[in-house]
Amino acid sequence: MGITNAVLVLNILELLTVLNSYVFYFQFEIEMIDSLHKLAKYRYECGNYSVSTSYLYFCMLVLPPNDKNYLSSLWGKFASEILVQNWDSALEDLNKLREYIDSSPNQFGGNSLQLLQQRTWLIHWSLFVFFNHAMGRELIIEMFLYRPHYLNAIQTMCPHILRYLATAVIINRGKRSALKDLVKVIQQESYTYRDPITEFLEHLYVNFDFDGARQKLHECQTVLFNDFFLISCLDEFVENARLMILKHFAAFINVSVLAC
């Protein structure tokens, strides 16, 4: 038995244990979960997100992954945690959703379009987590750039997300190694999407146009100032972008001098 199957069996046994205890002590019936799920949805629509979170947590605890309400419970709890700004729990739910989507293609009837749609939704919702959680600026790079399914979804459905990926790489000095891979993706998608942030990187690392990069940096400030997710990164972005121009210009000059 493989590790994945063994984990699945353990999860099922744990679920059965929980269900049996509820049935024994509280006369719980599985049909009650439908009512609880509807109540959670009602609470969510009323704006009682913390209450909805509690109800949906219980739904996820007792529902099997193949239940018709399981995926909507995952999405509902994820959205509720975001709306109450509980970023640690929201990150956990993001990971659960991603794992479910990636490991349960049969739940979507093998429909690749539905899988692509789910990943596209997750990419957009995840921006709330990535630009508010302490680890978000590193995790966004790992998910968007180095998970092929999600990079493919960005390239196919939402190339504008490259703006957020590029910003994360620029402000994260510990992830400069990702620049080469990011610039390659930006070049591939430049015919469908470009903005001052992606053009800044193109001018700097592809065209070696330092004057153009400085001009784009000025435009980038306007973009970040008017972007809901990026405005909090404005000062950090400008500082790191200027440092990148300076370091790359110095390296370019050194190479030119050595070539002479």
Side-chain angles (χ1 to χ4, degrees):
M1 181 182 292
I3 294 177
T4 303
N5 290 335
V7 171
L8 180 60
V9 169
L10 289 174
N11 288 340
I12 292 173
L13 290 174
E14 182 180 357
L15 173 61
L16 290 173
T17 302
V18 171
L19 281 174
N20 288 334
S21 64
Y22 284 141
V23 169
F24 181 79
Y25 290 108
F26 306 110
Q27 288 75 53
F28 171 80
E29 297 178 7
I30 192 65
E31 291 77 15
M32 295 177 181
I33 288 296
D34 284 338
S35 298
L36 184 61
H37 184 269
K38 291 175 183 177
L39 181 58
K41 183 175 183 293
Y42 172 75
R43 289 289 194 173
Y44 179 89
E45 292 171 347
C46 290
N48 303 133
Y49 304 120
S50 58
V51 176
S52 178
T53 296
S54 300
Y55 291 168
L56 290 170
Y57 173 78
F58 183 80
C59 289
M60 291 164 54
L61 188 64
V62 299
L63 286 175
N66 61 350
D67 187 273
K68 60 184 175 64
N69 290 327
Y70 187 80
L71 180 60
S72 61
S73 296
L74 280 174
W75 273 111
K77 186 170 183 298
F78 179 46
S80 297
E81 297 289 7
I82 288 173
L83 289 164
V84 297
Q85 300 182 39
N86 189 348
W87 303 119
D88 287 334
S89 294
L91 179 60
E92 290 178 12
D93 290 336
L94 167 61
N95 290 330
K96 288 177 183 177
L97 256 172
R98 187 182 65 209
E99 182 180 347
Y100 179 85
I101 292 169
D102 293 346
S103 63
S104 309
N106 292 334
Q107 300 296 334
F108 305 97
N111 189 321
S112 57
L113 183 59
Q114 285 189 20
L115 275 171
L116 182 62
Q117 184 182 59
Q118 288 286 324
R119 290 184 177 119
T120 303
W121 288 344
L122 189 59
I123 285 167
H124 285 83
W125 276 89
S126 70
L127 294 177
F128 288 99
V129 180
F130 289 143
F131 285 99
N132 284 284
H133 194 280
M135 296 294 295
R137 297 173 185 182
E138 294 184 14
L139 296 175
I140 188 176
I141 298 171
E142 188 272 334
M143 178 173 166
F144 287 3
L145 189 59
Y146 293 116
R147 288 185 179 266
H149 289 313
Y150 292 89
L151 179 57
N152 177 65
I154 290 170
Q155 292 174 305
T156 305
M157 301 291 287
C158 48
H160 57 274
I161 295 295
L162 290 174
R163 165 189 294 189
Y164 303 100
L165 177 57
T167 298
V169 173
I170 290 170
I171 65 178
N172 196 328
R173 297 184 188 182
K175 292 291 185 179
R176 287 288 188 265
S177 58
L179 267 172
K180 182 178 179 181
D181 297 324
L182 173 62
V183 169
K184 182 179 178 180
V185 173
I186 288 173
Q187 284 185 277
Q188 291 173 347
E189 300 305 316
S190 61
Y191 68 97
T192 58
Y193 178 79
R194 57 175 60 228
D195 69 14
I197 298 175
T198 61
E199 288 179 320
F200 167 76
L201 291 175
E202 278 193 291
H203 279 301
L204 190 57
Y205 290 100
V206 179
N207 304 327
F208 302 103
D209 180 359
F210 301 103
D211 288 332
R214 283 196 295 270
Q215 177 59 38
K216 288 300 172 183
L217 177 55
H218 180 72
E219 296 177 23
C220 286
Q221 294 179 58
T222 303
V223 171
L224 269 74
F225 183 79
N226 290 286
D227 190 288
F228 175 83
F229 295 106
L230 301 182
I231 186 170
S232 62
C233 306
L234 178 56
D235 293 338
E236 219 177 335
F237 181 94
V238 172
E239 178 186 350
N240 281 280
R242 286 174 175 166
L243 182 61
M244 290 168 70
I245 293 173
L246 181 61
K247 291 179 68 173
H248 203 55
F249 180 73
F252 181 77
I253 293 299
N254 286 337
V255 170
S256 299
V257 170
L258 290 174
C260 293

